[in-house]
Amino acid sequence: MATTLEHLSVELLYEIFIYFQFHEVFNIFSNLNSRFAGIINNIPFMPVYLGLNGMSIAVTEFYYRYLSQLNICNHLISLCVSDTLAIDNGLWLAEHISTFINLRHLSLIDIKRSSFELILNSLSPINSLIIFSVHFPTNDRAAYTFIGVPEGAYYEQIFHLFSSLRVCHLHFCRYIHYTLDTKFVLPLNRTFIPIRTNLLNLQSLVLRQCSSSFLSYLFEHLPQLEKLSFERSDPWLPHEHPLEQGDNK
């Protein structure tokens, strides 16, 4: 097998590799010979999916070890991390994300709130990141851990950390119950947390739910947007909150 593949160019091998997940490519090709080992360790674009599709503990631990290597973490440009399984991948990411200095695409799926806040709080700005997504495929998982969070609560942190974003998908949903998280203080006469950082490169913004007042604010704050997708919602406030009725009007 190695003898036959030796005749293929590196570019053609990359085209073959995209049909596999990275751990499969590593297990199949890295031990063939020194040439393939070097190719695998310098793949410039291979995305890593951590915690998806019933990934086993053994495979997860492989990624933990592999991505922690100094000569590897600098090459990582695309990473998708999920807390859908029992393994707390979000906590691992919070401890290591600062080493992925060339990351361009980061997607978080069903991420726990505690891990998500650790990620935001442990980071210095990453100027290389151009695509960022926070997604909750089902309502009965991590989305409920964001109960009581006011609209726009994490946007300023995200925009400040990833100032070069071009595409941003934030699928937080309105799930207030009856109280707002006391960690977040709403400004007077605002039903949402305002944004201070201007993302001049942002072209596409997708929100799961958005109130009319926050939507108007986004139009003023991000006039360069080429695409804005959202589902209109009521204000992210308890029913008895004095600002809710004014926002609906």
Side-chain angles (χ1 to χ4, degrees), residues 74-88:
N74 290 344
H75 294 157
L76 184 65
I77 64 172
S78 179
L79 178 62
C80 178
V81 176
S82 172
D83 269 347
T84 302
L85 302 178
I87 303 172
D88 198 343

Side-chain angles (χ1 to χ4, degrees), residues 145-160:
T145 71
F146 291 80
I147 291 173
V149 174
E151 190 169 17
Y154 299 108
Y155 291 30
E156 169 59 24
Q157 281 183 281
I158 292 169
F159 288 4
H160 174 70

Side-chain angles (χ1 to χ4, degrees), residues 59-232:
V59 172
T60 300
E61 291 177 343
F62 159 79
Y63 280 118
Y64 285 0
R65 293 190 305 270
Y66 187 79
L67 296 177
S68 298
Q69 299 179 56
L70 290 177
N71 62 322
I72 299 300
C73 60
N74 290 344
H75 294 157
L76 184 65
I77 64 172
S78 179
L79 178 62
C80 178
V81 176
S82 172
D83 269 347
T84 302
L85 302 178
I87 303 172
D88 198 343
N89 292 318
L91 183 59
W92 175 87
L93 179 62
E95 295 174 353
H96 293 84
I97 189 171
S98 60
T99 65
F100 306 139
I101 58 176
N102 291 311
L103 197 63
R104 300 185 64 191
H105 178 194
L106 176 61
S107 179
L108 306 178
I109 298 177
D110 276 339
I111 202 76
K112 296 177 183 176
R113 179 176 174 182
S114 56
S115 298
F116 180 69
E117 291 182 345
L118 280 174
I119 291 169
L120 296 184
N121 294 331
S122 65
L123 270 177
S124 298
I126 298 180
N127 295 325
S128 61
L129 200 75
I130 59 175
I131 301 175
F132 179 65
S133 171
V134 182
H135 187 53
F136 306 98
T138 58
N139 281 336
D140 58 351
R141 291 190 182 273
Y144 281 177
T145 71
F146 291 80
I147 291 173
V149 174
E151 190 169 17
Y154 299 108
Y155 291 30
E156 169 59 24
Q157 281 183 281
I158 292 169
F159 288 4
H160 174 70
L161 289 172
F162 311 134
S163 59
S164 298
L165 281 182
R166 298 178 188 171
V167 177
C168 186
H169 294 187
L170 302 176
H171 290 258
F172 301 117
C173 64
R174 182 185 184 274
Y175 197 81
I176 299 299
H177 271 191
Y178 299 103
T179 59
L180 286 171
D181 192 318
T182 56
K183 292 194 303 182
F184 298 96
V185 179
L186 286 175
L188 292 175
N189 300 319
R190 291 276 198 186
T191 61
F192 54 85
I193 304 294
I195 303 166
R196 297 185 301 274
T197 301
N198 288 312
L199 292 185
L200 301 179
N201 296 315
L202 189 64
Q203 301 171 357
S204 175
L205 178 62
V206 177
L207 308 176
R208 180 169 182 176
Q209 292 181 327
C210 182
S211 66
S212 57
S213 59
F214 193 57
L215 179 63
S216 298
Y217 176 76
L218 287 174
F219 282 137
E220 296 175 2
H221 193 76
L222 301 169
Q224 82 285 357
L225 279 179
E226 298 177 4
K227 177 182 178 182
L228 175 62
S229 178
F230 67 95
E231 172 189 337
R232 188 181 180 280

